[in-house]
Amino acid sequence: MKKVYIHKPNLSPFGKFSGTQLELSYKTAKQSVHEFQSQKLQFIIYASFSPDSYNQEYHLSAKLPAALGLRDVYSIRMETASSSGASAFQLGVNLILSGRYDHGLVIATELMSKLDREKNNLLLGSVLSPEQIRLGMSMAQGGAMITRRYLDLYGYPETDLYFLAKKLHDNGLQNPIAQIRKHLTEEIYFSQPKIASPLGLYDISPLSDGSACLILSKDPSSISVKGMGSGLAPLLTDPEPSFLANRLAFERAYSEASVSPQDIGFAELHDAFTPFELVGAEDAGLIPRGQALYEVKAGLTHPKGKLPINASGGLKSRGHPVGASGLAQIVEICRLFSSFTEKRLAISQSIGGLATNNFVSILERE
């Protein structure tokens, strides 16, 4: 397969931004575009879940190029719910692989802070299937049901979720752009309010503003795209806590990259609800079924462990600006390659909706 390379990855701070979504997108992209030489760029893929509902901002795929001084580029917006950033990345890679384009900008931005929590929950819940909506299900309730199944099936006490939340918050403390940089003690964790039992405040990602960008090119760099996969499937009631869309995406990415789970050095996995990291790691074949929470407790998936997972702090600690998170994971992998100097391959996994439109990308250090 012809190689596609990553240049000039960049992340904004995650948290609360006082300006517009267009302004945040411009601030994130301008340095990358300038340093790469803007005249070489031929396309822009702009990812965002719902800027119109969140901020009454429209047609950003045209306004951003104008702000950046780019003329006559192919520019579109991509939306696949909470996997929008990851799907935009894969579309950009495929545009270059097609041979039609050589260089392009992928940017993903979401500003969620201008809506209150109740309106946010209603907007996020709109991506659920008609069947799930008829049941009165919310996103948090769906996450809680899967978590309960995982704990009960594999015999973990509910209190073990602390070790997962603790790891993610500890990792976020080391990430300068993370929204939640908090030393999470047992006292704080076990006094948290329950949002959807067994999930509490420190098990669920926050509402966030944030932006991520990178440039894709045929020109060589230190990081290339090794393989990609996607999975589109309904959320089924599996005997085990598992997502069919995950399994399809991982299988296709491994096949395209001609690698196995054992070749992966570290991972950034979608953890809008912290136990989704466990499900993702097991669906990926990185850890045997039912063992992921045990391996968190044992230190395997910590930054100094054999298989670091979500060393960035994940969506839980870094923050989860919905349409941007999938691309942010890929940018974080580019950053983390400099920390995990002995690792050659890394994998990212992004969930769209309640695990129904998922994307997996494998990156390689050249």
Side-chain angles (χ1 to χ4, degrees):
M1 184 179 81
K2 183 169 63 174
K3 284 193 174 184
V4 177
Y5 297 88
I6 295 173
H7 295 255
K8 308 302 179 184
N10 191 34
L11 281 173
S12 75
F14 280 25
K16 188 171 183 178
F17 181 73
S18 60
T20 67
Q21 182 156 329
L22 177 60
E23 289 168 343
L24 180 57
S25 300
Y26 172 78
K27 288 183 68 172
T28 306
K30 64 178 181 179
Q31 184 174 355
S32 296
V33 169
H34 173 72
E35 290 180 354
F36 186 74
Q37 301 174 340
S38 60
Q39 69 272 16
K40 294 174 66 174
L41 294 177
Q42 299 162 304
F43 68 80
I44 293 179
I45 311 297
Y46 187 93
S48 190
F49 165 54
S50 195
D52 37 9
S53 297
Y54 277 123
N55 309 294
Q56 292 76 56
E57 292 189 68
Y58 303 87
H59 206 28
L60 291 168
S61 60
K63 293 176 181 176
L64 180 61
L68 291 168
L70 300 176
R71 301 289 183 267
D72 195 28
V73 295
Y74 176 72
S75 185
I76 61 170
R77 175 181 153 199
M78 172 66 78
E79 184 273 310
T80 55
S82 46
S83 59
S84 295
S87 62
F89 174 80
Q90 294 200 1
L91 175 59
V93 172
N94 284 324
L95 287 178
I96 294 177
L97 290 175
S98 75
R100 183 177 289 270
Y101 301 99
D102 296 328
H103 323 281
L105 171 71
V106 182
I107 180 164
T109 311
E110 204 81 64
L111 263 67
M112 306 173 73
S113 65
K114 291 181 173 62
L115 287 187
D116 62 32
R117 183 167 295 277
E118 182 178 355
K119 291 179 181 177
N120 257 290
N121 288 338
L122 289 172
L123 181 57
L124 294 170
S126 69
V127 309
L128 294 167
S129 71
E131 294 76 16
Q132 292 163 339
I133 291 172
R134 280 197 292 271
L135 291 171
M137 184 185 293
S138 69
M139 277 288 184
Q141 289 168 335
M145 290 169 61
I146 293 156
T147 301
R148 176 56 64 193
R149 177 63 175 155
Y150 187 94
L151 296 174
D152 289 352
L153 182 63
Y154 300 128
Y156 293 102
E158 188 175 313
T159 53
D160 275 2
L161 292 176
Y162 164 72
F163 298 99
L164 180 56
K166 170 68 171 170
K167 181 196 79 164
L168 292 165
H169 284 85
D170 284 350
N171 292 350
L173 278 170
Q174 307 305 314
N175 188 343
I177 64 95
Q179 178 174 353
I180 299 178
R181 303 182 71 195
K182 185 183 187 72
H183 178 59
L184 186 63
T185 65
E186 291 186 56
E187 181 181 5
I188 293 171
Y189 180 83
F190 290 113
S191 64
Q192 68 178 324
K194 293 293 184 184
I195 308 301
S197 184
L199 300 176
L201 182 66
Y202 296 107
D203 304 305
I204 300 175
S205 61
L207 304 176
S208 310
D209 300 340
S211 182
C213 78
L214 51 77
I215 289 169
L216 295 170
S217 175
K218 69 172 186 178
D219 293 349
S221 73
S222 61
I223 299 171
S224 65
V225 182
K226 181 73 170 174
M228 305 187 303
S230 64
L232 181 68
L235 181 66
L236 303 175
T237 305
D238 282 291
E240 298 171 325
S242 175
F243 303 137
L244 177 57
N246 269 355
R247 301 196 301 272
L248 292 171
F250 281 117
E251 179 183 345
R252 290 163 179 164
Y254 290 138
S255 176
E256 184 172 278
S258 298
V259 301
S260 71
Q262 291 71 37
D263 297 314
I264 300 300
F266 64 99
E268 289 288 313
L269 305 179
H270 185 109
D271 62 335
F273 309 105
T274 58
F276 280 17
E277 174 188 312
L278 312 176
V279 175
E282 294 177 11
D283 282 346
L286 298 172
I287 298 174
R289 288 285 172 201
Q291 293 297 303
L293 187 48
Y294 168 79
E295 297 294 4
V296 170
K297 295 168 63 179
L300 176 83
T301 64
H302 289 240
K304 293 183 179 180
K306 183 179 178 182
L307 179 64
I309 296 178
N310 289 336
S312 68
L315 280 58
K316 172 64 199 79
S317 184
R318 183 183 61 248
H320 184 25
V322 179
S325 288
L327 189 63
Q329 292 174 304
I330 292 168
V331 173
E332 292 282 27
I333 284 177
C334 295
R335 176 180 67 86
L336 289 165
F337 268 126
S338 64
S339 298
F340 302 133
T341 54
E342 77 286 2
K343 311 285 189 185
R344 188 177 67 86
L345 292 177
I347 196 166
S348 74
Q349 169 249 1
S350 183
I351 286 176
L354 192 55
T356 52
N357 195 9
N358 300 358
F359 295 83
V360 169
S361 300
I362 299 173
L363 305 186
E364 180 177 30
R365 181 211 307 276
E366 291 292 305

